[in-house]
Amino acid sequence: MRINIIGRGNVGSHLVEALQDKAEVTMVNPHAPQTLDTDADITLIAVSDAAIGEVLAQLPPVAGIVAHASGTTDMSVFDDFGINRDRVGVFYPMQTFTKGKELCYEKIPFFLEAKNKADLEELRELARKISPLVYDADSERRRALHIAAVMSCNFVNHLFAMSEQWLQENGLDFKIMLPLIEETVQKISEISPKQAQTGPAVRKDYETMQRHEQALAAHPEMLEIYRLMSKSIMG
Amino acid sequence: MRINIIGRGNVGSHLVEALQDKAEVTMVNPHAPQTLDTDADITLIAVSDAAIGEVLAQLPPVAGIVAHASGTTDMSVFDDFGINRDRVGVFYPMQTFTKGKELCYEKIPFFLEAKNKADLEELRELARKISPLVYDADSERRRALHIAAVMSCNFVNHLFAMSEQWLQENGLDFKIMLPLIEETVQKISEISPKQAQTGPAVRKDYETMQRHEQALAAHPEMLEIYRLMSKSIMG
């Protein structure tokens, strides 16, 4: 398989690495699309949602399937940008990619969509070279997944970052939280998160919550998050 | 060692289980404190913060150390409730306890405090029977830790619960998020959460955030959390 990967950010660079021994990969700088392999079987656009249009506007004529890697962008983006082709699709890896951070590629779930069946099968074949977790998902389903990924990964990580900042200010090391965090995640592979909920809010322990709010008084942003999350847990 | 454990909730029942082969444990119903072993070396009060005072008010005369297991309650609570004794302390296990969910006890960090040195050493000895992660922490430090635990565990779990609800409504299974969640946690054992942040907010991808907000329009509570967390990530 000959693959173009347009985009050298977190997603693009990891896809290149994941595929380098399994396909003939051409890395393409989105600002210099003329380096693209025009005979590629699949051209993947792995850039931020806002930049997809720009890439499409500059895309040289290319054989094969053109697919983007976005969770939230509709497959119809190709029509919107006048890419009048039948062979388009979506190749969305639902994972948190950080450049330089090694990743277990076989744990990336891929959600795929294509305008026609044969291309969907070809995208599946590509995804299976990386991971066994390969699913079909239309644009609406994929957007729902992406929103859940933002909640379960990006927002979760931000809470870790907030904890880290708070502990640092109190002379404590964030690493001390790791056993608790590991158990928090271990639990939800066995029981539903709703059942797994613990802490002052679900116990309606107003005394503890009030003390925490007092302690957070100098951090209006953390306090706002503390209040909103507690309110939401109390239901 | 002879140990009383007052409280049969999530924390109490797990402490009983963790210690049952390692000490002579008496489980005590907080509403029937007369069953308590009055010659115990250590009496642990493992009830919600609001109930500690009630337990102390009814506590029969007892030998040894009396310690509570709360993250946020000051050691001075014993004085506040007229428990005029020198042998008091705190035995705080920083973990998420769910009744019936098996737990790897050696991964529970314990944070200890006592009015006098010999008792601190005795509490350490008890904690070490359960886990190697044994630390000293005064009441202020312990409260800081508890707040970080609420952020890193309780609020994180609530985001998982929100994702679960959202996915269910969209005909998708929450289990599909587990590889992403595992990687989110795996990352922060290697790099700082601040560096690990990914997603539309940190990329300032307003287009994606706007689409997500539109999709969440029918869920005012999720929408409010989405906006606040995104704003906080953007800084």
Side-chain angles (χ1 to χ4, degrees):
Chain A
M1 260 191 185
R2 292 168 67 166
I3 313 290
N4 287 308
I5 296 175
I6 307 181
R8 307 189 297 181
N10 292 335
V11 177
S13 58
H14 276 287
L15 287 177
V16 168
E17 202 186 293
L19 287 168
Q20 61 190 357
D21 302 326
K22 295 164 178 165
E24 213 177 296
V25 178
T26 305
M27 282 183 66
V28 184
N29 181 332
H31 304 295
Q34 66 283 359
T35 59
L36 177 131
D37 171 4
T38 52
D39 293 325
D41 299 294
I42 301 173
T43 295
L44 297 178
I45 303 173
V47 299
S48 74
D49 288 27
I52 293 174
E54 214 178 306
V55 168
L56 290 178
Q58 298 179 50
L59 194 72
V62 59
I65 306 165
V66 178
H68 71 67
S70 158
T72 294
T73 301
D74 221 271
M75 189 167 65
S76 65
V77 69
F78 297 103
D79 300 329
D80 299 345
F81 282 89
I83 307 294
N84 252 329
R85 60 188 296 144
D86 204 41
R87 304 198 60 194
V88 294
V90 181
F91 189 85
Y92 169 51
M94 191 176 71
Q95 193 44 281
T96 168
F97 297 95
T98 298
K99 238 177 171 168
K101 160 72 179 69
E102 265 183 59
L103 198 56
C104 201
Y105 292 115
E106 63 268 33
K107 281 196 178 170
I108 305 176
F110 283 88
F111 296 93
L112 310 178
E113 185 179 10
K115 226 183 215 176
N116 65 68
K117 269 190 168 178
D119 289 346
L120 183 59
E121 191 45 47
E122 204 168 329
L123 290 176
R124 282 185 195 134
E125 203 186 311
L126 179 63
R128 281 194 208 108
K129 285 180 191 291
I130 305 176
S131 156
L133 309 172
V134 177
Y135 309 92
D136 298 344
D138 63 19
S139 292
E140 204 186 331
R141 234 171 148 79
R142 198 174 61 249
R143 182 167 43 240
L145 283 162
H146 192 206
I147 289 171
V150 167
M151 292 176 186
S152 293
C153 165
N154 305 149
F155 291 173
V156 160
N157 184 76
H158 184 59
L159 287 171
F160 296 152
M162 257 175 58
S163 300
E164 183 184 41
Q165 188 199 329
W166 167 255
L167 289 171
Q168 262 170 7
E169 288 176 18
N170 284 277
L172 290 154
D173 186 352
F174 176 69
K175 293 267 186 249
I176 219 161
M177 307 309 290
L178 293 179
L180 173 63
I181 290 170
E182 278 158 23
E183 173 64 16
T184 304
V185 165
Q186 213 271 308
K187 258 166 112 167
I188 57 156
S189 65
E190 291 182 33
I191 58 179
S192 137
K194 193 152 176 69
Q195 284 177 276
Q197 190 66 55
T198 58
V202 76
R203 288 198 303 271
K204 303 220 158 107
D205 182 344
Y206 296 104
E207 209 170 311
T208 297
M209 287 188 274
Q210 208 188 333
R211 284 186 197 155
H212 287 178
E213 289 181 15
Q214 281 160 3
L216 290 169
H219 294 78
E221 197 178 273
M222 289 185 192
L223 184 60
E224 202 182 348
I225 290 174
Y226 188 95
R227 284 190 172 137
L228 183 58
M229 294 299 286
S230 296
K231 193 183 81 180
S232 181
I233 291 170
M234 287 189 283
Chain B
M1 259 189 184
R2 293 168 67 167
I3 313 290
N4 287 307
I5 296 175
I6 307 181
R8 306 190 298 180
N10 292 337
V11 176
S13 59
H14 275 288
L15 287 178
V16 168
E17 201 187 294
L19 286 168
Q20 61 190 359
D21 301 326
K22 295 165 178 165
E24 212 177 295
V25 177
T26 306
M27 280 184 67
V28 184
N29 182 332
H31 304 296
Q34 66 283 1
T35 60
L36 176 131
D37 171 5
T38 53
D39 292 324
D41 299 294
I42 301 172
T43 295
L44 296 179
I45 303 173
V47 299
S48 74
D49 288 27
I52 293 175
E54 214 178 303
V55 168
L56 291 178
Q58 297 180 51
L59 194 71
V62 58
I65 306 165
V66 179
H68 71 68
S70 157
T72 294
T73 301
D74 221 272
M75 188 166 65
S76 64
V77 69
F78 297 104
D79 300 330
D80 299 346
F81 282 88
I83 307 295
N84 252 329
R85 61 188 295 145
D86 204 41
R87 304 197 61 193
V88 294
V90 181
F91 189 85
Y92 169 51
M94 190 176 72
Q95 193 45 280
T96 167
F97 297 96
T98 298
K99 238 176 170 168
K101 160 72 180 69
E102 265 184 61
L103 197 57
C104 202
Y105 292 115
E106 62 267 34
K107 280 196 179 170
I108 305 175
F110 283 89
F111 295 94
L112 310 178
E113 185 179 9
K115 227 184 213 176
N116 66 65
K117 268 192 170 176
D119 289 346
L120 183 59
E121 192 45 45
E122 204 168 331
L123 291 176
R124 282 185 195 134
E125 203 185 311
L126 178 64
R128 281 194 208 108
K129 285 181 192 292
I130 305 175
S131 156
L133 309 173
V134 177
Y135 308 93
D136 299 342
D138 63 18
S139 292
E140 203 186 332
R141 234 171 149 78
R142 197 174 60 251
R143 183 167 42 241
L145 283 161
H146 192 205
I147 290 172
V150 168
M151 293 177 186
S152 294
C153 164
N154 305 149
F155 291 174
V156 160
N157 184 75
H158 183 59
L159 289 170
F160 296 153
M162 257 174 59
S163 300
E164 184 183 42
Q165 188 199 329
W166 168 254
L167 289 171
Q168 261 169 7
E169 288 175 18
N170 284 278
L172 290 154
D173 186 352
F174 176 69
K175 292 266 186 250
I176 219 163
M177 307 309 290
L178 293 180
L180 173 63
I181 290 171
E182 278 159 24
E183 172 64 15
T184 304
V185 166
Q186 213 271 309
K187 257 167 115 169
I188 57 156
S189 65
E190 291 182 34
I191 58 178
S192 137
K194 195 155 174 67
Q195 284 177 276
Q197 190 66 54
T198 58
V202 75
R203 287 198 304 270
K204 303 218 159 114
D205 181 344
Y206 296 103
E207 210 170 309
T208 296
M209 287 187 274
Q210 210 189 331
R211 284 186 196 153
H212 288 179
E213 290 181 16
Q214 281 161 4
L216 289 169
H219 293 79
E221 198 179 272
M222 289 185 192
L223 184 59
E224 201 182 347
I225 290 174
Y226 189 95
R227 284 190 172 138
L228 183 58
M229 293 299 286
S230 296
K231 194 183 81 178
S232 181
I233 291 170
M234 287 191 282

